[in-house]
Amino acid sequence: MHKVEPKVFLVGETKIVKEGLNGFLKHVGVPKWKSDASTDLEKIIEVMGRLCYRSFEPGLNKNVKKVREHNKDYLENIKKVKHGSVIEHPVLNFIFTDVSRVFTHELVRHRAGTAISQESLRFVRLDDLGQWLPTVIYEDEKAVEIFVKTFKHLEKLQLELAEYFKLDDEAMPFHKKKVITSAMRRIAPIGLATTIGWSANPRTLRWVLEMRTDPNAEEEIRLVFGKVLRAFFFCASLLAEWSVKMNIAKYIDHTLLKPDATRGQIVKLCHEAKDYGFASVCVNPVWIPKCVVELKDLGQKTDVKVCSVVGFPLGASWRNIKADEARQAFLQGADEIDMVMNVGMLKSGDLLEVKLDIQSVRLAVSRAILKVIIETCLLTLEEKILACKIAQDACADFVKTSTGFSTGGATVEDVKLMRKTVGPKMGVKASGGIQDYAMAMAMINAGATRLGCSAGIAIVEGSKK
């Protein structure tokens, strides 16, 4: 038995056949037509839409006197007039690995506009079961013990049956192996890790993303489709943006870190977070217990997490003090910790101390989400890259741009650099100065998977326009 983490691979997408498209355009009478679409997915949607109205240029259809010249404007109009059928032409191909059969049972309910190919346990023999643990189990030592014990026992039974039926005997015919292997899967756990291929058109993908990234969706499928959304951004940012608009709140840490914040303001922050479905509330440590009461202890179902800060806002505390602060925050009920890196040590070249500083907090709160604030406005380009790599090596979950209390906040260029440095799996949080929907989308397009801001409500309301 081994532990796994669900993974998402975008393995294919629709590509334009240039010769065929050029031949069609010549046939229609517009051989010089060009599109400024950034991807073939968005270009093929535009082509299919324009052929419906023969609107490649004014006058081609005598009823059309003017046309939208830019792909973005054209696609936005398709969305506005709800001409959704043309969005079904392109296809994206994903492979999901190390996902459970719980996940695949939910995924296959989405049939329209998809194609599915799943690893077959009728053929594939089980000899090393992979296991991913949901948070409610992972955070409970006794539950983890029961899960691991059960998986190991079921794995042992698979091995014993394989030996009993002599499945490794060279004389055993394949058709008989298939029959026996198929029978043996009936005592395999539904939580075992498997692989499934899933292809969908963007119209279907948008609606699956809306449902499966909702805070009320099951944890594993929510995790997987969060990764799908990030992959979607890399190949079709405009189409992905439509999906984010449906639920941008889940990107937002609703933040109030002002020193003069009052109890009443903290209560209001929590109620807003529940009403809008934000990812978390981010508050100073003294307010953690109040947030726990408002978000977790009043009997109302909510997935809003409690996030707090450590070594804030300077990051210049002793590392044992930061570790103790993080430990107390976690014991008080914080789900996520945003710690400030020791910026002075980084700029002094003491990289080991910077790593030990982060590791001390990581060890103190091994079950909490850990974000490392690198304070980009104070760093050179080389220092930003170093800071990201050190945070990643120290097993942090996110790198974060800014405290919002220094000389500058998040920039698109910094988020792009951070994403490029840490790769696709680590979280990137943009924070500081994100005031409206356009700025929020710019950060997400650049690679941010979380946004820290006090203007969360304005951002969500802006997404509805």
Side-chain angles (χ1 to χ4, degrees):
M1 193 207 81
H2 61 285
K3 299 293 178 64
V4 299
E5 177 74 16
K7 301 176 185 65
V8 171
F9 300 95
L10 176 62
V11 298
E13 60 183 84
T14 295
K15 294 293 182 184
I16 294 284
V17 178
K18 293 181 180 179
E19 295 80 2
L21 178 59
N22 291 339
F24 165 74
L25 294 172
K26 183 178 180 180
H27 171 76
V28 177
V30 285
K32 295 183 179 180
W33 181 82
K34 301 290 183 183
S35 170
D36 60 0
S38 58
T39 68
D40 282 359
L41 266 76
E42 291 161 332
K43 185 174 182 178
I44 198 67
I45 293 172
E46 181 182 2
V47 169
M48 295 302 184
R50 289 190 186 277
L51 76 81
C52 290
Y53 304 102
R54 205 182 293 178
S55 58
F56 289 95
E57 63 181 36
L60 189 64
N61 171 356
K62 296 188 183 300
N63 287 333
V64 176
K65 302 303 180 185
K66 62 179 181 179
V67 299
R68 290 171 177 81
E69 295 182 2
H70 300 292
N71 177 267
K72 182 176 181 179
D73 296 335
Y74 192 83
L75 296 190
E76 287 289 357
N77 188 62
I78 284 175
K79 185 181 69 166
K80 180 180 178 181
V81 300
K82 299 181 179 180
H83 189 177
S85 61
V86 297
I87 305 173
E88 297 176 5
H89 284 284
V91 173
L92 293 98
N93 313 106
F94 295 93
I95 294 177
F96 305 142
T97 65
D98 292 330
V99 293
S100 73
R101 295 239 157 189
V102 176
F103 168 87
T104 61
H105 288 356
E106 292 207 20
L107 179 67
V108 297
R109 294 166 60 189
H110 300 287
R111 297 298 303 181
T114 70
I116 299 170
S117 298
Q118 184 170 355
E119 181 179 76
S120 173
L121 297 191
R122 189 181 180 192
F123 295 89
V124 178
R125 200 194 315 171
L126 300 172
D127 55 5
D128 182 17
L129 303 186
Q131 180 191 72
W132 175 81
L133 297 178
T135 302
V136 69
I137 302 300
Y138 176 76
E139 292 182 345
D140 188 311
E141 290 185 10
K142 183 61 178 177
V144 171
E145 180 184 338
I146 293 170
F147 262 61
V148 171
K149 181 181 178 181
T150 303
F151 260 66
K152 286 183 176 179
H153 175 66
L154 293 173
E155 180 180 279
K156 182 181 178 183
L157 294 180
Q158 293 288 329
L159 297 173
E160 288 178 357
L161 284 168
E163 183 178 0
Y164 172 74
F165 285 112
K166 297 181 172 56
L167 293 186
D168 289 323
D169 192 327
E170 292 185 4
M172 172 75 71
F174 182 78
H175 75 273
K176 189 171 182 180
K177 286 184 180 182
K178 182 175 68 174
V179 171
I180 295 170
T181 301
S182 179
M184 288 165 55
R185 63 180 164 169
R186 282 161 173 78
I187 57 169
I190 193 174
L192 70 87
T194 188
T195 299
I196 189 167
W198 188 77
S199 301
N201 67 63
R203 190 183 197 184
T204 294
L205 186 53
R206 287 179 60 212
W207 293 111
V208 177
L209 282 166
E210 179 186 16
M211 290 184 283
R212 296 309 190 176
T213 59
D214 185 89
N216 292 315
E218 196 273 336
E219 182 180 1
E220 184 182 9
I221 204 165
R222 191 171 70 241
L223 170 67
V224 169
F225 274 93
K227 295 180 179 183
V228 168
L229 181 56
R230 292 197 289 277
F232 196 13
F233 263 113
F234 284 113
C235 65
S237 59
L238 178 60
L239 299 179
E241 180 178 334
W242 296 354
S243 302
V244 173
K245 271 192 173 186
M246 298 175 182
N247 204 2
I248 195 171
K250 68 183 178 59
Y251 282 81
I252 295 172
D253 289 343
H254 198 35
T255 303
L256 181 55
L257 293 169
K258 293 180 179 179
D260 58 347
T262 65
R263 180 177 287 103
Q265 289 173 323
I266 295 296
V267 171
K268 182 171 181 284
L269 186 83
C270 292
H271 290 178
E272 291 169 348
K274 287 191 288 187
D275 291 343
Y276 282 88
F278 293 128
S280 79
V281 293
C282 186
V283 298
N284 284 306
V286 69
W287 296 118
I288 295 171
K290 186 60 181 173
C291 291
V292 170
V293 169
E294 295 298 324
L295 295 172
K296 300 181 180 182
D297 292 349
L298 295 181
Q300 183 177 351
K301 182 180 179 181
T302 175
D303 277 347
V304 179
K305 306 297 184 185
V306 177
C307 175
S308 194
V309 289
V310 164
F312 193 85
L314 302 179
S317 305
W318 288 301
R319 64 174 184 261
N320 64 314
I321 299 296
K322 287 184 181 179
D324 285 342
E325 187 178 13
R327 189 178 297 109
Q328 286 301 316
F330 181 72
L331 291 174
Q332 292 292 321
D335 304 292
E336 304 187 355
I337 300 294
D338 288 18
M339 69 167 290
V340 185
M341 180 190 70
N342 195 320
V343 178
M345 289 296 181
L346 181 79
K347 296 187 78 68
S348 299
D350 195 344
L351 306 186
L352 177 59
E353 179 58 33
V354 176
K355 184 175 181 179
L356 291 173
D357 182 54
I358 299 169
Q359 284 181 331
S360 68
V361 175
R362 173 77 286 172
L363 290 171
V365 289
S366 59
R367 297 182 184 178
I369 295 294
L370 177 61
K371 313 187 198 94
V372 177
I373 305 170
I374 66 173
E375 204 69 285
T376 50
C377 62
L378 301 180
L379 305 180
T380 65
L381 186 145
E382 291 76 15
E383 289 168 342
K384 293 170 191 176
I385 294 172
L386 265 178
C388 288
K389 288 182 176 179
I390 292 171
Q392 193 169 39
D393 289 344
C395 298
D397 300 292
F398 280 75
V399 284
K400 176 179 172 181
T401 59
S402 323
T403 61
F405 285 77
S406 189
T407 58
T411 68
V412 168
E413 291 73 21
D414 283 339
V415 172
K416 285 182 178 178
L417 177 66
M418 293 164 74
R419 171 56 65 205
K420 181 180 179 181
T421 302
V422 302
K425 295 182 179 179
M426 191 177 188
V428 174
K429 179 175 175 178
S431 183
I434 304 171
Q435 297 297 326
D436 55 32
Y437 171 73
M439 190 177 297
M441 284 308 310
M443 296 299 172
I444 293 172
N445 282 330
T449 50
R450 194 75 72 87
L451 307 173
C453 43
S454 57
I457 292 176
I459 291 169
V460 172
E461 293 301 328
S463 73
K464 299 175 182 178
K465 296 178 181 178

